[in-house]
PDB file of all heavy atoms in Angstrom:
ATOM      1  N   ALA R 281      33.539 -22.292  -9.339  1.00  0.00           N
ATOM      2  CA  ALA R 281      34.028 -23.321  -8.417  1.00  0.00           C
ATOM      3  C   ALA R 281      32.964 -24.385  -8.158  1.00  0.00           C
ATOM      4  O   ALA R 281      32.965 -25.035  -7.107  1.00  0.00           O
ATOM      5  CB  ALA R 281      34.455 -22.654  -7.112  1.00  0.00           C
ATOM      6  N   GLN R 282      32.071 -24.559  -9.126  1.00  0.00           N
ATOM      7  CA  GLN R 282      30.971 -25.508  -8.934  1.00  0.00           C
ATOM      8  C   GLN R 282      31.481 -26.901  -8.578  1.00  0.00           C
ATOM      9  O   GLN R 282      31.014 -27.510  -7.615  1.00  0.00           O
ATOM     10  CB  GLN R 282      30.103 -25.621 -10.202  1.00  0.00           C
ATOM     11  CG  GLN R 282      29.399 -24.341 -10.601  1.00  0.00           C
ATOM     12  CD  GLN R 282      30.213 -23.548 -11.614  1.00  0.00           C
ATOM     13  OE1 GLN R 282      31.445 -23.467 -11.508  1.00  0.00           O
ATOM     14  NE2 GLN R 282      29.550 -22.939 -12.576  1.00  0.00           N
ATOM     15  N   GLU R 283      32.456 -27.360  -9.352  1.00  0.00           N
ATOM     16  CA  GLU R 283      32.913 -28.743  -9.150  1.00  0.00           C
ATOM     17  C   GLU R 283      33.581 -28.919  -7.793  1.00  0.00           C
ATOM     18  O   GLU R 283      33.395 -29.920  -7.120  1.00  0.00           O
ATOM     19  CB  GLU R 283      33.883 -29.131 -10.264  1.00  0.00           C
ATOM     20  CG  GLU R 283      33.119 -29.539 -11.506  1.00  0.00           C
ATOM     21  CD  GLU R 283      34.030 -29.792 -12.684  1.00  0.00           C
ATOM     22  OE1 GLU R 283      35.227 -30.074 -12.473  1.00  0.00           O
ATOM     23  OE2 GLU R 283      33.538 -29.678 -13.810  1.00  0.00           O
ATOM     24  N   ARG R 284      34.342 -27.906  -7.434  1.00  0.00           N
ATOM     25  CA  ARG R 284      35.047 -27.974  -6.150  1.00  0.00           C
ATOM     26  C   ARG R 284      34.042 -28.110  -4.992  1.00  0.00           C
ATOM     27  O   ARG R 284      34.187 -28.950  -4.116  1.00  0.00           O
ATOM     28  CB  ARG R 284      35.878 -26.702  -5.999  1.00  0.00           C
ATOM     29  CG  ARG R 284      36.573 -26.595  -4.687  1.00  0.00           C
ATOM     30  CD  ARG R 284      37.633 -25.528  -4.737  1.00  0.00           C
ATOM     31  NE  ARG R 284      38.158 -25.275  -3.404  1.00  0.00           N
ATOM     32  CZ  ARG R 284      39.154 -24.459  -3.151  1.00  0.00           C
ATOM     33  NH1 ARG R 284      39.765 -23.826  -4.136  1.00  0.00           N
ATOM     34  NH2 ARG R 284      39.577 -24.267  -1.922  1.00  0.00           N
ATOM     35  N   PHE R 285      32.986 -27.301  -5.014  1.00  0.00           N
ATOM     36  CA  PHE R 285      31.987 -27.353  -3.932  1.00  0.00           C
ATOM     37  C   PHE R 285      31.238 -28.688  -3.953  1.00  0.00           C
ATOM     38  O   PHE R 285      31.074 -29.322  -2.919  1.00  0.00           O
ATOM     39  CB  PHE R 285      30.999 -26.188  -4.056  1.00  0.00           C
ATOM     40  CG  PHE R 285      31.520 -24.912  -3.465  1.00  0.00           C
ATOM     41  CD1 PHE R 285      32.280 -24.032  -4.224  1.00  0.00           C
ATOM     42  CD2 PHE R 285      31.254 -24.583  -2.146  1.00  0.00           C
ATOM     43  CE1 PHE R 285      32.771 -22.858  -3.684  1.00  0.00           C
ATOM     44  CE2 PHE R 285      31.741 -23.402  -1.594  1.00  0.00           C
ATOM     45  CZ  PHE R 285      32.501 -22.537  -2.380  1.00  0.00           C
ATOM     46  N   LEU R 286      30.779 -29.077  -5.129  1.00  0.00           N
ATOM     47  CA  LEU R 286      29.985 -30.307  -5.199  1.00  0.00           C
ATOM     48  C   LEU R 286      30.826 -31.512  -4.798  1.00  0.00           C
ATOM     49  O   LEU R 286      30.342 -32.438  -4.149  1.00  0.00           O
ATOM     50  CB  LEU R 286      29.394 -30.497  -6.601  1.00  0.00           C
ATOM     51  CG  LEU R 286      28.299 -29.503  -6.985  1.00  0.00           C
ATOM     52  CD1 LEU R 286      27.545 -29.970  -8.220  1.00  0.00           C
ATOM     53  CD2 LEU R 286      27.311 -29.270  -5.855  1.00  0.00           C
ATOM     54  N   GLY R 287      32.115 -31.466  -5.145  1.00  0.00           N
ATOM     55  CA  GLY R 287      33.018 -32.552  -4.757  1.00  0.00           C
ATOM     56  C   GLY R 287      33.107 -32.659  -3.244  1.00  0.00           C
ATOM     57  O   GLY R 287      32.996 -33.750  -2.664  1.00  0.00           O
ATOM     58  N   LYS R 288      33.267 -31.533  -2.588  1.00  0.00           N
ATOM     59  CA  LYS R 288      33.396 -31.534  -1.119  1.00  0.00           C
ATOM     60  C   LYS R 288      32.086 -31.939  -0.434  1.00  0.00           C
ATOM     61  O   LYS R 288      32.074 -32.417   0.690  1.00  0.00           O
ATOM     62  CB  LYS R 288      33.793 -30.142  -0.619  1.00  0.00           C
ATOM     63  CG  LYS R 288      35.156 -29.700  -1.057  1.00  0.00           C
ATOM     64  CD  LYS R 288      36.226 -30.237  -0.123  1.00  0.00           C
ATOM     65  CE  LYS R 288      37.605 -29.837  -0.636  1.00  0.00           C
ATOM     66  NZ  LYS R 288      38.714 -30.463   0.020  1.00  0.00           N
ATOM     67  N   LEU R 289      30.967 -31.672  -1.118  1.00  0.00           N
ATOM     68  CA  LEU R 289      29.666 -31.951  -0.492  1.00  0.00           C
ATOM     69  C   LEU R 289      29.165 -33.371  -0.780  1.00  0.00           C
ATOM     70  O   LEU R 289      28.118 -33.776  -0.266  1.00  0.00           O
ATOM     71  CB  LEU R 289      28.618 -30.938  -0.992  1.00  0.00           C
ATOM     72  CG  LEU R 289      28.793 -29.510  -0.464  1.00  0.00           C
ATOM     73  CD1 LEU R 289      27.958 -28.533  -1.270  1.00  0.00           C
ATOM     74  CD2 LEU R 289      28.429 -29.416   1.019  1.00  0.00           C
ATOM     75  N   LYS R 290      29.924 -34.099  -1.558  1.00  0.00           N
ATOM     76  CA  LYS R 290      29.499 -35.455  -1.936  1.00  0.00           C
ATOM     77  C   LYS R 290      29.328 -36.322  -0.679  1.00  0.00           C
ATOM     78  O   LYS R 290      30.205 -36.372   0.187  1.00  0.00           O
ATOM     79  CB  LYS R 290      30.560 -36.063  -2.856  1.00  0.00           C
ATOM     80  CG  LYS R 290      30.046 -37.196  -3.639  1.00  0.00           C
ATOM     81  CD  LYS R 290      30.901 -37.451  -4.868  1.00  0.00           C
ATOM     82  CE  LYS R 290      30.224 -38.567  -5.592  1.00  0.00           C
ATOM     83  NZ  LYS R 290      30.902 -39.727  -5.789  1.00  0.00           N
ATOM     84  N   GLY R 291      28.193 -36.961  -0.571  1.00  0.00           N
ATOM     85  CA  GLY R 291      27.964 -37.876   0.552  1.00  0.00           C
ATOM     86  C   GLY R 291      27.660 -37.173   1.869  1.00  0.00           C
ATOM     87  O   GLY R 291      27.554 -37.810   2.914  1.00  0.00           O
ATOM     88  N   VAL R 292      27.515 -35.827   1.847  1.00  0.00           N
ATOM     89  CA  VAL R 292      27.227 -35.106   3.096  1.00  0.00           C
ATOM     90  C   VAL R 292      25.716 -34.909   3.238  1.00  0.00           C
ATOM     91  O   VAL R 292      25.064 -34.382   2.337  1.00  0.00           O
ATOM     92  CB  VAL R 292      27.945 -33.734   3.108  1.00  0.00           C
ATOM     93  CG1 VAL R 292      27.617 -32.967   4.376  1.00  0.00           C
ATOM     94  CG2 VAL R 292      29.445 -33.928   2.962  1.00  0.00           C
ATOM     95  N   PHE R 293      25.185 -35.323   4.371  1.00  0.00           N
ATOM     96  CA  PHE R 293      23.742 -35.214   4.619  1.00  0.00           C
ATOM     97  C   PHE R 293      23.426 -34.186   5.699  1.00  0.00           C
ATOM     98  O   PHE R 293      22.354 -33.604   5.725  1.00  0.00           O
ATOM     99  CB  PHE R 293      23.180 -36.577   5.067  1.00  0.00           C
ATOM    100  CG  PHE R 293      23.108 -37.579   3.950  1.00  0.00           C
ATOM    101  CD1 PHE R 293      24.243 -38.180   3.436  1.00  0.00           C
ATOM    102  CD2 PHE R 293      21.866 -37.921   3.394  1.00  0.00           C
ATOM    103  CE1 PHE R 293      24.172 -39.098   2.403  1.00  0.00           C
ATOM    104  CE2 PHE R 293      21.776 -38.833   2.361  1.00  0.00           C
ATOM    105  CZ  PHE R 293      22.941 -39.431   1.850  1.00  0.00           C
ATOM    106  N   ASP R 294      24.350 -34.008   6.617  1.00  0.00           N
ATOM    107  CA  ASP R 294      24.066 -33.181   7.785  1.00  0.00           C
ATOM    108  C   ASP R 294      24.103 -31.685   7.441  1.00  0.00           C
ATOM    109  O   ASP R 294      25.099 -31.184   6.898  1.00  0.00           O
ATOM    110  CB  ASP R 294      25.129 -33.492   8.858  1.00  0.00           C
ATOM    111  CG  ASP R 294      24.928 -32.650  10.078  1.00  0.00           C
ATOM    112  OD1 ASP R 294      23.909 -32.830  10.754  1.00  0.00           O
ATOM    113  OD2 ASP R 294      25.777 -31.744  10.326  1.00  0.00           O
ATOM    114  N   PRO R 295      23.026 -30.947   7.764  1.00  0.00           N
ATOM    115  CA  PRO R 295      22.954 -29.533   7.381  1.00  0.00           C
ATOM    116  C   PRO R 295      24.100 -28.694   7.937  1.00  0.00           C
ATOM    117  O   PRO R 295      24.632 -27.826   7.233  1.00  0.00           O
ATOM    118  CB  PRO R 295      21.632 -29.053   7.973  1.00  0.00           C
ATOM    119  CG  PRO R 295      20.886 -30.251   8.395  1.00  0.00           C
ATOM    120  CD  PRO R 295      21.818 -31.413   8.441  1.00  0.00           C
ATOM    121  N   GLU R 296      24.458 -28.927   9.176  1.00  0.00           N
ATOM    122  CA  GLU R 296      25.529 -28.112   9.760  1.00  0.00           C
ATOM    123  C   GLU R 296      26.868 -28.400   9.085  1.00  0.00           C
ATOM    124  O   GLU R 296      27.693 -27.523   8.907  1.00  0.00           O
ATOM    125  CB  GLU R 296      25.622 -28.327  11.273  1.00  0.00           C
ATOM    126  CG  GLU R 296      24.535 -27.610  12.052  1.00  0.00           C
ATOM    127  CD  GLU R 296      24.490 -26.106  11.777  1.00  0.00           C
ATOM    128  OE1 GLU R 296      25.322 -25.367  12.304  1.00  0.00           O
ATOM    129  OE2 GLU R 296      23.617 -25.676  10.992  1.00  0.00           O
ATOM    130  N   LYS R 297      27.041 -29.669   8.701  1.00  0.00           N
ATOM    131  CA  LYS R 297      28.282 -30.024   7.990  1.00  0.00           C
ATOM    132  C   LYS R 297      28.297 -29.332   6.628  1.00  0.00           C
ATOM    133  O   LYS R 297      29.318 -28.805   6.186  1.00  0.00           O
ATOM    134  CB  LYS R 297      28.343 -31.546   7.785  1.00  0.00           C
ATOM    135  CG  LYS R 297      29.254 -32.208   8.772  1.00  0.00           C
ATOM    136  CD  LYS R 297      29.678 -33.594   8.280  1.00  0.00           C
ATOM    137  CE  LYS R 297      30.183 -34.377   9.473  1.00  0.00           C
ATOM    138  NZ  LYS R 297      29.717 -35.754   9.488  1.00  0.00           N
ATOM    139  N   LYS R 298      27.142 -29.328   5.970  1.00  0.00           N
ATOM    140  CA  LYS R 298      27.064 -28.647   4.669  1.00  0.00           C
ATOM    141  C   LYS R 298      27.485 -27.182   4.848  1.00  0.00           C
ATOM    142  O   LYS R 298      28.300 -26.661   4.102  1.00  0.00           O
ATOM    143  CB  LYS R 298      25.627 -28.674   4.133  1.00  0.00           C
ATOM    144  CG  LYS R 298      25.137 -30.024   3.650  1.00  0.00           C
ATOM    145  CD  LYS R 298      23.698 -29.876   3.140  1.00  0.00           C
ATOM    146  CE  LYS R 298      23.086 -31.186   2.719  1.00  0.00           C
ATOM    147  NZ  LYS R 298      21.664 -31.066   2.363  1.00  0.00           N
ATOM    148  N   ARG R 299      26.902 -26.540   5.855  1.00  0.00           N
ATOM    149  CA  ARG R 299      27.216 -25.124   6.087  1.00  0.00           C
ATOM    150  C   ARG R 299      28.704 -24.919   6.311  1.00  0.00           C
ATOM    151  O   ARG R 299      29.312 -24.002   5.777  1.00  0.00           O
ATOM    152  CB  ARG R 299      26.456 -24.615   7.312  1.00  0.00           C
ATOM    153  CG  ARG R 299      25.018 -24.314   7.065  1.00  0.00           C
ATOM    154  CD  ARG R 299      24.427 -23.576   8.272  1.00  0.00           C
ATOM    155  NE  ARG R 299      23.122 -23.041   7.946  1.00  0.00           N
ATOM    156  CZ  ARG R 299      21.990 -23.739   7.985  1.00  0.00           C
ATOM    157  NH1 ARG R 299      21.996 -25.016   8.340  1.00  0.00           N
ATOM    158  NH2 ARG R 299      20.839 -23.167   7.672  1.00  0.00           N
ATOM    159  N   LYS R 300      29.294 -25.782   7.134  1.00  0.00           N
ATOM    160  CA  LYS R 300      30.719 -25.611   7.473  1.00  0.00           C
ATOM    161  C   LYS R 300      31.578 -25.787   6.223  1.00  0.00           C
ATOM    162  O   LYS R 300      32.502 -25.011   5.982  1.00  0.00           O
ATOM    163  CB  LYS R 300      31.131 -26.636   8.541  1.00  0.00           C
ATOM    164  CG  LYS R 300      30.458 -26.331   9.857  1.00  0.00           C
ATOM    165  CD  LYS R 300      31.394 -26.390  11.049  1.00  0.00           C
ATOM    166  CE  LYS R 300      30.771 -25.663  12.223  1.00  0.00           C
ATOM    167  NZ  LYS R 300      29.523 -26.293  12.700  1.00  0.00           N
ATOM    168  N   ILE R 301      31.274 -26.796   5.434  1.00  0.00           N
ATOM    169  CA  ILE R 301      32.069 -27.050   4.222  1.00  0.00           C
ATOM    170  C   ILE R 301      31.967 -25.863   3.274  1.00  0.00           C
ATOM    171  O   ILE R 301      32.963 -25.343   2.778  1.00  0.00           O
ATOM    172  CB  ILE R 301      31.572 -28.344   3.519  1.00  0.00           C
ATOM    173  CG1 ILE R 301      31.922 -29.555   4.379  1.00  0.00           C
ATOM    174  CG2 ILE R 301      32.163 -28.469   2.113  1.00  0.00           C
ATOM    175  CD1 ILE R 301      31.282 -30.856   3.926  1.00  0.00           C
TER     176      ILE R 301
END
Side-chain angles (χ1 to χ4, degrees):
Q282 297 94 320
E283 279 174 23
R284 176 165 171 175
F285 278 88
L286 291 194
K288 294 276 177 190
L289 289 165
K290 199 159 183 241
V292 178
F293 288 73
D294 178 66
E296 283 304 283
K297 258 199 199 137
K298 288 180 184 174
R299 282 190 168 83
K300 292 226 162 64
I301 291 170

